[in-house]
Amino acid sequence: MAIHWTTVLLDFPGADFDAAAGFWTEATGSALSSPWAEHPEFASLVPAHGDPYLALQRLGRGAARVHPDFHVEDLAAETERALALGAAKTGGEPGLVVLASPAGLPFCLIVHKEGQSDVPPPTDWNGRASRLDQICVDVPPEAFDRELAFWSGFTDWPRSTSDNGEFRRLLPPPGLPVHFLLQRLDSAAPGQDAKAHLDFSCADVEAETARHAAVGAVPVRRHRHWQVMRDPVGLEYCLTDKAPDGSWAPSA
């Protein structure tokens, strides 16, 4: 399996889209692109340097959510492989297949294009850098082992040897913009699907918390190594003390 690029989609109901776009451009230090020509419900978050890897989608229905897109060369072959590993196909169109993981997380496979290879550097905020660089899949406990096996097999990325507690990390190769983490929830409602949230890596979690609050986010709860936040339309995400330079080390 060769994943050439990863895009993270932040999906918002139409009524929330403008407020969400205003916040996420500020939070990530990016600019909102014009609507995509063939799909005007999408717009990219364009970084100051490097290639876009974040995008917003205006939903016709449904609640706000996060999902990943994986850029591949052979769309048909990789779709068949994902299905054989336990995914379910839920939609598609030329150049795009919509799937769900065994635990119900939506994701897409799309045809890779040239010009998607330059990972943006962290953004410097008055000497304190940060970058949105991780998608975390929150998985009901009874589905966790199968979900981990699916994503390990599908991505063919090795697992970190330092996994602990409820977390398991997959290690994408250098040159991809998003890290991949799975979290085993303590409990879940019957039939609850897996969901994803986003993580920023921060040189200074407290300073980043204050910055995000100033542009409209709400601090929710503090853990030892991360701060849970809620954006202005209700989508939760985390600020973590992982180094924002792309390594796996904690921030100093």
Side-chain angles (χ1 to χ4, degrees), residues 189-215:
Q192 179 177 323
D193 288 337
K195 295 183 179 180
H197 72 264
L198 299 178
D199 293 340
F200 285 76
S201 290
C202 310
D204 185 329
V205 172
E206 301 304 329
E208 192 72 347
T209 299
R211 186 181 72 82
H212 282 237
V215 295

Side-chain angles (χ1 to χ4, degrees), residues 103 137-150 159 165-169 181-185:
V137 184
D138 302 314
V139 187
E142 68 278 1
F144 187 84
D145 290 342
R146 186 182 180 200
E147 189 77 353
L148 177 60
F150 170 77
R159 281 174 49 180
E166 70 270 33
F167 296 101
R168 298 292 183 271
R169 187 184 301 280
L181 186 70
L182 291 94
Q183 180 177 10
R184 185 197 302 266
L185 298 175

